[in-house]
Amino acid sequence: MVQHCNGRFTAYDLPPPSYDPLLTQVDKGTPAGELLRRYWHPVLKASDLDAEPRPVRALGEDLVLFRSGEGEIGAFHARCAHRGADLRFGRVEPRGLRCCYHGWLFDARGRCLEQPCEPDGGRLRDRVRQPSYPARELYGLVFIYMGPLDQMPALPRYDVLETLAPNQEIRADDTSIGSGGPAIMPCNWFQAFENVMDPYHVFVLHSTFSTVQFSELLAVRPDISFAKTPGGVASTQVRRMRNGEDFVRVVEVLLPTVRISPHPAFTTPGPCTNISWYLPIDSTHTRIFTALRVPKWMPKFNFSEIPVYEGKSWFDMTEEERRRSPGDFEAQVGQGPITFHSEENLATSDAGVALLRRLYLADVQRVRDGVAPTNVRLDEGPAHAVAAGHTFHPSAETARTQAP
Ligand code: FES
Ligand SMILES: [Fe+2]
């Protein structure tokens, strides 16, 4: 924290900036990278797996995903196990993925099936394995697990995505839903993620500093409390409406990367029906994947393209309009590729951010100590019961004055 209690401080006196590597690392072998490798991460929409191999970057590793003709999903290291050609230039075939360079064919589990330039199609081909990761499909997304196999957890489920009415469906989104911006955010994942436990910014950034980007209801300064939950942190935001009702908005995060936040443009009462996962692409790039339960009749539209400025989406705004009415992208990417923790001055309104950081760092330490971190279950337990959502009810004050 920077101290400048006398009037003689200038920016020249700043020490060299730094960030906390334990909050921001993602690479294999680093303490935080090893924590992140104890969880399933979505890396692609399932509908994007078609006839072509799909390049994907996750936790600093370049991968290629494909669906074989037999329907199995392969998640390969991008470098071919033969001599390193990039498998994104390969070809998906009924039995697997064929490398463009010398034609080696690998099935979805990485077993080498053919080596066309070798005698007898490769007498030693069984000894070769293309490095790969387990992959599963759920909620229209493809999840992969990049950690040690003997620690592989069950793929978590969420009650709001499990119980669908006949007229509802789940849609997958990979556009980093927020107030608009490119799907890939050029900044560290943690500074984007901790924003979920920074609900004060909704009142300022989205509602009163910029134009109202989501809902007028959010332009009221809320009373906010934060609480540690079994799986992470929850914030409860209470806004007194003009009619005397309290509008209560609850947002959850589940460690390490899950956001459960009712879309702020839709302030209808009810539980949150979307779950988001923050994918650390590498230490300076982030993508948010979301699965949404929606009525089937809802037209298919891109949530990152909702109007946030005079009827325009982020993509239609000019640079000057984005400067005058900034949103999540400007605020979070504007903190830099990796924000400098050494230059922060945390205040009381950062209590949720501070709590989230503490819990995340405790999990980093748990993995270092050989202990399972939060939300890792090896067996499939019950689906997570979502607590996030919007409710409206008479305020305690109103109830008192209306009492007979
Ligand atoms: S580098 Fe892939 S087959 Fe040779
Ligand atoms: Fe926001």
Side-chain angles (χ1 to χ4, degrees):
M1 186 180 291
V2 178
Q3 301 294 335
H4 39 101
C5 45
N6 66 50
R8 306 187 57 183
F9 175 89
T10 75
Y12 178 79
D13 299 305
L14 278 174
S18 62
Y19 52 80
D20 186 343
L22 296 181
L23 289 175
T24 53
Q25 293 159 333
V26 305
D27 291 329
K28 191 163 104 175
T30 63
E34 289 305 307
L35 169 67
L36 291 166
R37 279 168 175 75
R38 299 302 173 85
Y39 299 87
W40 290 90
H41 297 274
V43 293
L44 195 69
K45 287 196 295 180
S47 58
D48 286 339
L49 277 183
D50 50 22
E52 306 295 333
R54 294 289 167 194
V56 152
R57 192 163 160 77
L59 305 186
E61 297 183 30
D62 285 312
L63 308 171
V64 169
L65 270 76
F66 67 98
R67 194 196 300 274
S68 75
E70 286 150 3
E72 256 194 291
I73 299 173
F76 285 1
H77 257 191
R79 286 177 59 82
C80 175
H82 178 212
R83 276 177 37 223
D86 190 336
L87 287 170
R88 83 172 66 187
F89 301 113
R91 187 168 62 213
V92 180
E93 298 192 356
R95 294 196 298 155
L97 183 64
R98 190 182 294 280
C99 178
C100 68
Y101 205 3
H102 312 96
W104 288 21
L105 176 69
F106 302 97
D107 73 8
R109 294 183 198 178
R111 290 176 296 212
C112 188
L113 305 179
E114 288 180 20
Q115 298 173 334
C117 308
E118 296 298 307
D120 301 329
R123 280 182 223 127
L124 302 178
R125 64 174 183 263
D126 289 346
R127 292 194 192 166
V128 178
R129 196 87 181 202
Q130 177 62 31
S132 69
Y133 291 122
R136 303 259 171 82
E137 202 174 325
L138 182 67
Y139 306 141
L141 297 166
V142 177
F143 291 78
I144 63 172
Y145 174 73
M146 302 171 69
L149 262 190
D150 61 343
Q151 311 278 334
M152 187 167 81
L155 181 52
R157 292 174 173 270
Y158 304 87
D159 62 356
V160 292
L161 300 180
E162 295 289 318
T163 47
L164 299 190
N167 64 342
Q168 294 176 330
E169 63 184 13
I170 292 175
R171 291 190 195 153
D173 183 283
D174 65 355
T175 61
S176 296
I177 295 174
S179 56
I184 295 179
M185 302 172 69
C187 67
N188 184 259
W189 80 277
F190 201 92
Q191 73 203 49
F193 186 57
E194 68 184 9
N195 164 273
V196 184
M197 273 305 129
D198 176 14
Y200 288 100
H201 91 275
V202 177
F203 162 63
V204 179
L205 179 75
H206 294 307
S207 309
T208 51
F209 183 93
S210 301
T211 54
V212 170
Q213 295 175 335
F214 295 127
S215 163
E216 291 279 357
L217 298 191
L218 301 171
V220 176
R221 190 184 191 285
D223 289 328
I224 300 177
S225 55
F226 300 99
K228 180 179 177 311
T229 64
V233 186
S235 75
T236 302
Q237 308 153 38
V238 182
R239 289 172 168 86
R240 177 67 46 84
M241 302 286 96
R242 275 198 217 103
N243 65 3
E245 276 191 326
D246 278 345
F247 166 34
V248 181
R249 174 174 162 82
V250 175
V251 172
E252 294 175 73
V253 299
L254 299 176
L255 292 162
T257 61
V258 177
R259 168 183 83 186
I260 312 181
S261 174
H263 197 295
F266 304 95
T267 49
T268 43
C272 174
T273 52
N274 69 83
I275 309 288
S276 299
W277 296 260
Y278 283 61
L279 173 68
I281 293 174
D282 53 32
S283 59
T284 54
H285 295 88
T286 304
R287 185 170 203 148
I288 306 170
F289 290 86
T290 303
L292 307 105
R293 189 183 84 198
V294 295
K296 286 179 182 166
W297 54 259
M298 184 182 274
K300 290 205 164 83
F301 68 92
N302 188 335
F303 278 82
S304 68
E305 292 177 8
I306 57 170
V308 287
Y309 181 81
E310 296 181 352
K312 297 181 191 177
S313 80
W314 186 92
F315 298 95
D316 297 324
M317 292 164 69
T318 64
E319 278 297 309
E320 176 53 19
E321 287 168 340
R322 288 186 198 137
R323 196 199 61 73
R324 258 187 279 133
S325 188
D328 286 314
F329 185 85
E330 287 72 26
Q332 294 163 38
V333 174
Q335 290 173 298
I338 306 179
T339 194
F340 293 132
H341 300 109
S342 63
E343 297 189 347
E344 293 178 333
N345 291 281
L346 295 191
T348 55
S349 54
D350 299 307
V353 169
L355 177 56
L356 178 58
R357 289 181 184 180
R358 270 203 308 281
L359 296 175
Y360 183 80
L361 292 174
D363 271 342
V364 171
Q365 189 57 44
R366 274 191 194 97
V367 170
R368 287 176 118 172
D369 294 342
V371 178
T374 310
N375 294 325
V376 162
R377 293 182 61 112
L378 300 186
D379 59 318
E380 184 147 340
H384 174 74
V386 166
H390 290 154
T391 51
F392 293 81
H393 51 80
S395 64
E397 207 172 280
T398 310
R400 239 190 340 269
T401 55
Q402 290 178 352

